[in-house]
Each structure stands twice: as structure tokens, then as C-alpha cells.
Amino acid sequence: MQQCLAIVLGPLLIAQHNVLQVSGETFGPVTVEVGGSLADGSSASSEVPYWSEAVCYRPVTNLRPGDALKFTYGGHDVWRMASEDHLENCDFSDAVRLAGVGESPFEYVLTETDAQRSAEEEGVHFSCSVGAHCSSGQRLTVTVDSPLAVEGIEDRESLVGGLPRSEFVVGVSADDCVNFQSGGQVESDAFREANAALSRCTDPVLGDDGRMHVSCLSGPATMSPGGVINSWRTMHYPYPTDRRVVVGERTWEFVSGNLVEGTLEGVEPVPVNQLYVHHLSGRVVLGQGTEGVRRSEPDAPFPIPYGALTGDEGDKMIFHIIDLRGVDEWLECVECRCRDPDDGTYLNVGSADETGGVSCCTNCTSTLDPLENVDYQMRYNVSYSEVPEESPITVVQMLTTDISPAVGKSIEYDVPSFEYLPADQRKDGFIQRLERTGKFRDMFQKEFFGDAYDGPDTVRLLRCVAHMHIAAIGMWLQDAETGEMLCNGVGTHGDDPEEDKGFLTAIHVDSYEPDEKVFDADREVTLVAEYNATEVHTGVMGMYFIFVSSDEQVRSSDASLEVPMCKDEVCDVSLLPAPMAADALMAPACSDLLADSPACKFGGVCLCEDFVSDPASTGCGGVFSSQMGDIEVNSMCALHCDACPKTCKDELPDSPVCSFGSLCSCEEFVSHPDSTGCGGVFSSDWGDVEVNSMCAAHCDACPDTVGADVIQEEILENLEEDLSSMCKYATADCERMLTNLYTCSKGYKKRIGVLDANVDAVVKKHGDRLALKHSKLGSPTLWRNAEASTDVAPCIGVAVEEDDEIVDVPAFFAQEGSSNLNTGVLFMGILVAVAVVGFAVLTVQKIRREREAQIDETTKNVAIDETTLSGTGHEASFSINSPNGSDSSV
């Protein structure tokens, strides 16, 4: 072991305090964005969740301990599965919950233990427990190898497959997905592009209502009788791409037929008992299910000055549709009931133990010829108007809630037949009634199960839209104390045997005038959902989409989707990020997260005192067991459990000692026979390593100050947050901020204010890139075909040369307690010092030679007083603070 570590520790001992930076450059761990690369190698666009259902993920290879997987997602979670078999069967028993809904982004750092798991279980396996996302493709396998020797990035790049990356495809069949995961090529890339090209829209036409009207068709979804599709589709974007507009009325339906060439004519609406819409997801139109077909109420315009604005919705929709032609057991089919694996018949779901849902949504049995394919297309009609010049639009915000946590589920749940219902769920008339009660702000989440509630403190309710399935009676949102009805979502079922008999065809939509329903976000409300339980129903949903007034107002001058920044000649320091003091980074805020977590919002356990002492909890330092799996108690109640994170981290897992020496645990490192423990050294043939330098947090030896790299990372993060907040719309403040950032990064003739060295370093390195990035607003899909340009014109009245130089000498100030000398200034100082020393040496040598020559010629005894020379100022010393606090002189 000692000899193996000697190979790793050799370069470490040459410069202990620089090893992590050096290792980051040479050996550094790799962070892999899960679902970050389409199969053709291009990056995923941000409007598509990287970790999502209905996606096929290729296994990630060439990973090492110390590498990290980054999961970015919306209404999902992240679990590490117990084995490959558990993953294949979507069996979450013995799985470990890593991150929950609303905890995105999440990074999982791989360890040597994962390398052992990988060898034993043919990989480390991850999935999502929400609904049936696991069975619909949200599964990932990675292989983690322990390298036998030191290897640099260039060595890893030369491996078969190169550096690890996470590739995925969408819109493929189960068989194609298996082929893709095995390394084969699929037609999804070409299919996706070709299908998107077949989506088309008419030119906008001005209607009698003063709005522009557009009619569109999606690309075809080719289906056989009994077929099921659950995949992403790229739609033709029906709105202007250079500016935001106000959404008017939107409707949609599925059609089929023979299109007349060059037109959208020749197709006819498809009855819902032929093509069942399980659900649509996306925002090109408001995603719903069959209850939204050909209905305008769920997606009608809001009363002015309120409105939904375009630009952020992207151009993708998930189609989950089922072709019912020739299907006798249509209810079992549309409810995705599970089948017997031996004979393919539907399982007996007369008890509460059996289930169904998207996980079992495979092709249904049909009596028709499977070759009788039909091309279905979604027809979507939209209207829009310009943001008025005379007054701003108050932006409408969507919030979402879900009834399924009332039975310990998420998104999907089952309705057992009445005799199997618990007593508290029974209602006369063979009805299942579920209820959830809590504060409005705790019950609802941003957009479609995104982040925690970020709406206004005073809620101005404008619309309620519910989504339910067959056998739904209705959903309601009401005041928990008075019973006042806020949302009344009564369902309607069809009765036409030729079209829709037995299907849910509508749910009542409540739309309110701006001052009709106004209340405090802390108001206690009760969410109610009722289903007919005369027979079992599987995989049902009960969600409410609530539309409220936000605090944002957008004027016509702010509606552009590109910020017209320019290059100025003045850099205003006040518009740059504020300097970060080192001591501000040493004590990160620690709080209990339970109140903002799904455990509170969906489970009703919101106090850490109750959470820790609950019978399902093993207490602080232990786990809380639920139907959704185990949750670490300390992760929810860090402050309550006195388990706040350290002010620094152990560097050992990210160092070559771990990556290439396989010693990744500080506990093992500290107790190793070659270690004298915390505060001591680790001895090897190459010398000693300070234990605390590798395991500062473990040894409770966090430094009093942090380095410039940490400070600059924090400044960069703050800058990104400031830009995202300031530049959501093309306001004058955004334009001024981007112009200044670009100018400060590219060179200027005058600076206002004193510039901090760390802020300067961040701006010089990242400023121009971030300014260009945030000048393009809205969904990245709007810029998909735009030519990348880095040319920024000078501001009006400013004659900026191409290679402007800074003409004044920058004045920097350093934060007390931090090592943040500007690297450029430091480097120039060292060069000047070295030049002065060199000049002094050459001068002394020249004088000596001249004196010696004079002595030889004149035989005079001349003594040279060298101490005089040393005090003339020709010799200089330059002292800097090394990272360990000692002084070094050059």
C-alpha cells in the first residue's frame, strides 16, 4: 500500500498546497451531466429536463472514483438502486434515496465503494420513483473503474469511448432503446429531425378579435391498432421568435387523413374512443388529457392587463397516446393495467395489492391487422397579440399541486374497488375521496412540479384547470375552515357510443376576474379528489394547474428576445458583482429543510421535532422510513440534529490519493498505519503529507480563511444568479448590466470605482461569454438555427477600436483575511523583481571586471565595498504570502 501511495504522493509532496489545483488541471475528476449529450454528440437544450421520463439513456462508461454525476430535473427524484435486477424490475426495495422532488440540481460523487458495486452488479444503477417513470425509461447505469496507476486527462481521453459522457435519445421504441443502450445506432436522430420538419403552421392571420391566428399540425405519429406512444415530439413554433407576445386562445385535437399538398386541409378529427390521450406534457399548448380535446376554456386569454407571455415554452411536447382500434378490453388498456408475464393477460386487479400505470403501458391486444397503420397528427390552433405600448402586461404564473401524496404516491396512484378502500377514503355512492390540507404556499409548486412556491404573498387567483382520468368525479380546492369553494372541477363523461361513451370529456374550468378571488398565500386550503370506485382504476392522476398573477410587469419595450448590448468605453464597478470577503464564506447558513421538502408538502410532517421522534424514524443520524423509501434524517433536520455541514470539505476524495491510490475515506486515511492521525502526517517513501491538508473537515481543522479560487467561484455563481434575475426580460437595466459586463471584460478607457482583484479575475475570464449568453432570452430552441456571433458593436457615440487597451492603471483592493492578489499583477511584479535582481547582478559583475582590469594595469590597490552596492537599490526582494501563511522571498 505504501509503495502504491508513493507513486501518487510523489508530486503531492513537491508542492502540497498546490496539489489540488494541479490535480484538477492534470488528473481532475470529471463531472458528467446526466442526459447532457444527444446521441449525435450535441448538447441537450435546457427546456428538456436532462433527467426525465420517456428518455432512453445509454450507460456511462470510463468513470473513476472522484468523478461526479449531475442530475438536473423537474418533477422527479434520484434513487440508487440495489442491483441490476432491481433496476430492470423497477423494484425500489433496498434502494437509497439520493435526492427528492425539488432538490435539483443534485451531484453524486462516485467512490471506491461504487467501483466495487459496479464490478459486482454490472454497474451502479439509478432511477426515479415518481409515478411509473422508471418503467417509462428513466433509468441510468454507469460503470466505475478503479485505475491501476496515475493517469492524466489525456490518458483518459485516449480510452475507448474517451472521457465519460451521458448520451440519450428520445422518441424510440423499447426495442430501439435496448439496441441503443447496447451501443447500437438508432434512427431516432434522423427520425426526430424528419418528424420535426413535417410539423408546419399557416402564416399568421389577423382575426376579428384583434389577435393574430395560426393553425398548425405536428409531425405524424404512426400507430398500429392497440399501439402506445409515450415520447417527445418537436413542434413547429407558432409564435414570433424575435419577441414575446401575449397568448390568446389555444385549442388542440388529434386528426388523421390525407393532407392536401401544400395545405393543412384534408384531415378530420379523431374520436376519443379511437385515440385515447393519456396526457400531453409541454407548453406549446397547455398539456392535459382527453378532457382537454377541442376545449378552449382551459387555455383561454386572461383579462387585460394580465397575460401569459411566449418565449420560454420551447417547442417540445410529450405525447402519451393509445390507439384503441379493435381493442376489446379498452378500460384495462387505457388505464395501463399490468399483465401476467406468462400469458400476457391482464392481472386480477380486484384487490388493493395490484397496480397499473405508465410502467405497464405497453401495446394492447387488438383484433385488427397490426399493419393497418394510421398517421395521427396533433392540430393546434393558437392566437396572440402584441404587448400593448400604452400599458404593461402583468405576467400570469402557473402553479401545480397533486392529490397522490395523500396515499403516499407521486403523480400516479390507484383507486381500489370500494370493498378494499380504507374507511377514511370511503364516501357514499361507491366513491373514493382523498383530501390534503395545508397552507396554499406549501401545497403548490412552481410550474410543473418544479421548485418550491415562489408566487406572491397575496394570491390573485385567475384560473383553475384540473387533470384527471377515466372514472373521475371531480377535484375541488376549498378553504379548510369555511369550505368556500376556490376551484370547482366537476367532471363530464361522454355518452355517444360512436365517439366518447364512458370517457372523461371535460372538467369544469373556473376563470375569475382579477379582484374576485384574492387571499393570503398562508391561507389553509383543502384539496379534494373523487373517483368512482365501483371497480378498480389504475394509474389515475389528480392534479390542479392554478394560474395566478405574478409580481412581474413587462412593457412593449421589454418584449424583445435579444438584448441590444454594446461595447462602451467606461467600466462601472458598481454594476459588477460585489466583492466577497473570505470570512463570509467560512460560515454557510445552516437550516432545517424539512418545511420546504416533499416530506412536509406531501407527507404532512413539517416539524423536525415530530420528524425525528416519529415511529418511522430512527432519530438524528438515522433514517425516516416511508412508502417512498428511506430519507436521511440529518438531511432534513441538520440544525435540529446539530449536524450542520463543515465550513470546508475534505479534499481527499478529489485528490490523486483517492483517484489513483484508491484511498478515498478520511477515516481510513487518518487511521492508516502510515498516518499519525489528525494534526499529524502520512508517511511514505516520498516524504510526509499533512493529514489535515487532505481531511480538514474530518479533522475539524478548517482554515480561518479561504483561497482566491473559492472566492472567485462564489463571485461567478453570484454573477450568474444576478444575470438570470436581471435579464429575464429585455429591460433597460439588463441592457446596461450586460453592456457594462462586456466592456469591463474586453478593455476600457475609463473606470468608475475601485475594482476588487477577485471580481476583476472573474470578469476578465467569464464576462464576455456570460454577457453574450444572457443577451439571448427565452428558450434555447428559439436560437437553435441562429448563427453564433461574438461581434458586439460600439455604443452610439463611442468610437471603440478593435484592440482597445486600458489606459489607466487599475487600482485593486484586497479583502482582509483572503489571499487574493491579482494573478496578473503578481506575475508582473515578479517579472519586475526578477529583472531588477538580474540587472543588479549584471551591474556588479561588470563593475568587478572593470575594477580588476584597472588593478592589473595600474597595480593600484582598490577595494570594492560590496556592501555599498547591496544598498543602492539595484538588488530587490519580493515577498508574497504562500497559501500556508508563511513568507517566501524572490
Side-chain angles (χ1 to χ4, degrees):
M1 176 67 175
Q2 194 172 22
Q3 293 178 343
C4 292
L5 283 175
I7 299 175
V8 177
L9 297 178
L12 189 72
L13 296 170
I14 297 174
Q16 291 183 19
H17 296 284
N18 292 328
V19 67
L20 294 180
Q21 181 179 356
V22 172
S23 69
E25 295 290 334
T26 305
F27 311 104
V30 177
T31 298
V32 178
E33 182 87 49
V34 174
S37 298
L38 291 170
D40 59 5
S42 59
S43 295
S45 52
S46 62
E47 84 282 1
V48 179
Y50 289 97
W51 178 236
S52 180
E53 82 276 22
V55 177
C56 178
Y57 296 93
R58 180 171 278 166
V60 182
T61 60
N62 293 343
L63 287 163
R64 303 285 188 259
D67 290 343
L69 299 171
K70 183 177 181 181
F71 294 83
T72 303
Y73 54 89
H76 307 283
D77 55 22
V78 184
W79 292 70
R80 190 183 68 220
M81 308 298 280
S83 68
E84 183 180 22
D85 287 341
H86 283 76
L87 180 73
E88 288 298 319
N89 296 310
C90 292
D91 179 359
F92 284 84
S93 61
D94 300 321
V96 177
R97 175 186 178 274
L98 302 176
V101 176
E103 296 177 3
S104 170
F106 164 73
E107 283 198 13
Y108 179 78
V109 179
L110 298 162
T111 65
E112 185 65 31
T113 303
D114 289 314
Q116 296 171 1
R117 288 193 189 99
S118 180
E120 296 169 359
E121 294 294 339
E122 297 187 15
V124 182
H125 312 285
F126 303 88
S127 189
C128 171
S129 71
V130 174
H133 293 180
C134 173
S135 297
S136 63
Q138 197 168 354
R139 293 181 275 183
L140 175 71
T141 294
V142 305
T143 56
V144 187
D145 304 314
S146 293
L148 301 179
V150 175
E151 58 179 355
I153 288 293
E154 62 276 7
D155 299 314
R156 295 184 68 178
E157 288 176 338
S158 65
L159 296 173
V160 176
L163 289 174
R165 65 177 184 173
S166 176
E167 293 185 330
F168 73 96
V169 292
V170 295
V172 298
S173 67
D175 291 340
D176 281 341
C177 182
V178 171
N179 180 46
F180 172 71
Q181 291 174 335
S182 302
Q185 297 298 315
V186 296
E187 297 179 353
S188 61
D189 290 340
F191 166 79
R192 184 171 53 250
E193 294 178 3
N195 191 265
L198 293 174
S199 179
R200 66 196 76 173
C201 293
T202 61
D203 292 333
V205 175
L206 181 62
D208 295 337
D209 58 359
R211 297 185 177 92
M212 304 302 294
H213 290 253
V214 179
S215 183
C216 308
L217 286 176
S218 71
T222 303
M223 302 185 69
S224 59
V228 176
I229 284 180
N230 184 19
S231 65
W232 289 96
R233 297 287 161 140
T234 300
M235 319 289 283
H236 193 290
Y237 190 70
Y239 310 107
T241 57
D242 63 338
R243 65 192 186 280
R244 299 181 190 274
V245 292
V246 184
V247 176
E249 183 178 277
R250 299 188 292 193
T251 60
W252 60 271
E253 64 181 344
F254 277 88
V255 297
S256 66
N258 297 315
L259 276 173
V260 177
E261 187 175 354
T263 72
L264 300 186
E265 305 298 326
V267 292
E268 297 293 334
V270 177
V272 298
N273 62 2
Q274 175 179 331
L275 186 70
Y276 179 72
V277 183
H278 190 279
H279 67 267
L280 301 176
S281 296
R283 291 300 300 273
V284 177
V285 296
L286 179 62
Q288 284 185 283
T290 294
E291 76 278 8
V293 174
R294 292 184 285 277
R295 297 188 65 232
S296 61
E297 294 89 345
D299 221 354
F302 294 95
I304 298 294
Y306 300 92
L309 297 183
T310 65
D312 297 318
E313 61 280 282
D315 61 359
K316 289 183 169 54
M317 299 282 295
I318 288 181
F319 289 4
H320 186 185
I321 50 180
I322 303 173
D323 189 325
L324 294 177
R325 289 176 296 149
V327 175
D328 291 331
E329 298 173 301
W330 67 270
L331 182 60
E332 292 84 348
C333 178
V334 300
E335 290 191 336
C336 302
R337 297 187 187 176
C338 299
R339 295 172 179 267
D340 188 305
D342 295 325
D343 60 16
T345 58
Y346 290 105
L347 292 171
N348 176 15
V349 286
S351 72
D353 298 329
E354 303 296 349
T355 187
V358 177
S359 60
C360 292
C361 225
T362 56
N363 290 350
C364 303
T365 302
S366 173
T367 59
L368 301 182
D369 186 339
L371 297 180
E372 294 182 9
N373 291 336
V374 170
D375 287 339
Y376 297 107
Q377 294 176 272
M378 189 176 85
R379 177 159 57 195
Y380 49 110
N381 302 319
V382 308
S383 63
Y384 62 86
S385 58
E386 302 294 336
V387 177
E389 295 185 2
E390 61 275 9
S391 60
I393 288 292
T394 300
V395 179
V396 172
Q397 180 179 8
M398 187 178 88
L399 305 170
T400 310
T401 192
D402 176 23
I403 194 65
S404 65
V407 289
K409 300 292 184 179
S410 181
I411 311 296
E412 288 187 315
Y413 65 101
D414 295 334
V415 179
S417 53
F418 192 77
E419 63 269 29
Y420 294 102
L421 280 176
D424 61 349
Q425 295 180 19
R426 294 186 179 188
K427 180 182 175 181
D428 291 346
F430 298 95
I431 294 171
Q432 181 204 49
R433 179 183 175 92
L434 299 181
E435 296 185 7
R436 284 184 63 207
T437 298
K439 293 181 179 179
F440 182 89
R441 70 168 74 246
D442 294 334
M443 295 277 285
F444 285 86
Q445 291 175 270
K446 181 180 179 180
E447 288 292 330
F448 186 76
F449 300 106
D451 297 332
Y453 179 85
D454 67 343
D457 292 332
T458 299
V459 178
R460 193 177 302 274
L461 183 59
L462 299 174
R463 182 171 298 153
C464 309
V465 180
H467 170 60
M468 304 183 78
H469 287 184
I470 286 178
I473 294 174
M475 284 191 75
W476 299 269
L477 184 70
Q478 57 196 39
D479 185 283
E481 295 181 3
T482 66
E484 176 191 353
M485 191 67 67
L486 301 175
C487 300
N488 180 15
V490 177
T492 300
H493 292 79
D495 56 8
D496 185 347
E498 301 297 323
E499 294 278 340
D500 53 21
K501 185 175 182 178
F503 288 84
L504 181 67
T505 56
I507 299 178
H508 176 76
V509 173
D510 285 303
S511 291
Y512 296 109
E513 292 300 316
D515 296 325
E516 192 172 350
K517 294 287 183 180
V518 181
F519 52 88
D520 193 280
D522 288 326
R523 184 178 189 176
E524 290 281 329
V525 295
T526 297
L527 180 68
V528 180
E530 292 185 354
Y531 269 90
N532 186 317
T534 53
E535 60 179 312
V536 68
H537 297 285
T538 60
V540 304
M541 297 182 183
M543 296 183 288
Y544 243 132
F545 307 123
I546 305 292
F547 296 86
V548 302
S549 168
S550 74
D551 294 327
E552 296 177 338
Q553 289 190 330
V554 177
R555 300 181 180 277
S556 59
S557 57
D558 306 333
S560 173
L561 286 168
E562 184 168 14
V563 181
M565 69 175 187
C566 56
K567 187 177 187 300
D568 206 347
E569 58 184 1
V570 178
C571 171
D572 187 346
V573 175
S574 68
L575 297 178
L576 297 177
M580 292 293 300
D583 56 2
L585 301 177
M586 296 310 298
C590 177
S591 62
D592 295 327
L593 304 179
L594 182 65
D596 295 325
S597 73
C600 170
K601 295 179 180 180
F602 297 151
V605 183
C606 300
L607 296 178
C608 278
E609 185 176 354
D610 298 336
F611 188 73
V612 171
S613 61
D614 192 278
S617 170
T618 57
C620 289
V623 296
F624 184 99
S625 299
S626 71
Q627 295 181 3
M628 299 298 293
D630 293 342
I631 302 172
E632 293 183 3
V633 172
N634 287 1
S635 68
M636 294 290 101
C637 298
L639 185 62
H640 178 86
C641 291
D642 193 21
C644 294
K646 300 289 186 179
T647 58
C648 65
K649 69 174 185 176
D650 293 327
E651 303 291 357
L652 183 67
D654 297 328
S655 74
V657 179
C658 169
S659 300
F660 310 117
S662 300
L663 186 56
C664 302
S665 166
C666 275
E667 186 174 353
E668 296 177 5
F669 186 74
V670 170
S671 61
H672 194 275
D674 294 324
S675 170
T676 59
C678 289
V681 296
F682 188 102
S683 300
S684 75
D685 293 341
W686 288 83
D688 295 341
V689 177
E690 293 180 3
V691 172
N692 288 1
S693 68
M694 293 288 99
C695 298
H698 178 83
C699 292
D700 196 20
C702 294
D704 294 332
T705 61
V706 296
D709 55 341
V710 176
I711 295 175
Q712 290 173 16
E713 287 179 7
E714 188 74 12
I715 291 172
L716 178 59
E717 183 177 337
N718 290 343
L719 177 57
E720 280 275 20
E721 291 178 358
D722 290 346
L723 290 171
S724 297
S725 175
M726 180 70 73
C727 292
K728 184 173 182 180
Y729 303 105
T731 62
D733 288 341
C734 171
E735 180 181 347
R736 182 166 57 252
M737 186 175 186
L738 295 183
T739 291
N740 187 70
L741 178 61
Y742 187 85
T743 300
C744 295
S745 71
K746 301 296 286 186
Y748 44 88
K749 292 184 177 180
K750 181 180 178 182
R751 184 182 62 246
I752 302 174
V754 181
L755 184 58
D756 171 67
N758 286 313
V759 174
D760 179 63
V762 171
V763 170
K764 289 290 193 297
K765 184 174 182 180
H766 303 284
D768 58 339
R769 174 183 62 84
L770 291 178
L772 290 167
K773 170 187 173 183
H774 286 274
S775 69
K776 293 175 170 52
L777 308 181
S779 168
T781 61
L782 303 181
W783 302 98
R784 183 187 294 125
N785 299 319
E787 294 183 5
S789 174
T790 58
D791 295 333
V792 176
C795 298
I796 297 175
V798 175
V800 181
E801 301 297 332
E802 183 176 353
D803 295 316
D804 268 347
E805 298 293 338
I806 301 176
V807 297
D808 60 331
V809 179
F812 299 101
F813 71 90
Q815 289 294 318
E816 184 178 352
S818 66
S819 176
N820 61 352
L821 281 174
N822 178 267
T823 55
V825 174
L826 177 60
F827 182 67
M828 291 302 297
I830 293 174
L831 286 181
V832 171
V834 171
V836 171
V837 172
F839 178 77
V841 172
L842 292 174
T843 302
V844 171
Q845 291 176 344
K846 181 179 180 181
I847 293 174
R848 282 176 172 168
R849 286 195 297 271
E850 291 176 349
R851 293 292 188 184
E852 289 172 357
Q854 291 175 1
I855 292 172
D856 291 338
E857 291 176 3
T858 64
T859 65
K860 291 182 179 179
N861 237 348
V862 180
I864 301 175
D865 185 355
E866 291 185 358
T867 60
T868 302
L869 291 174
S870 67
T872 62
H874 291 290
E875 292 181 1
S877 67
F878 189 83
S879 179
I880 62 174
N881 291 325
S882 66
N884 64 356
S886 62
D887 290 339
S888 303
S889 294
V890 180

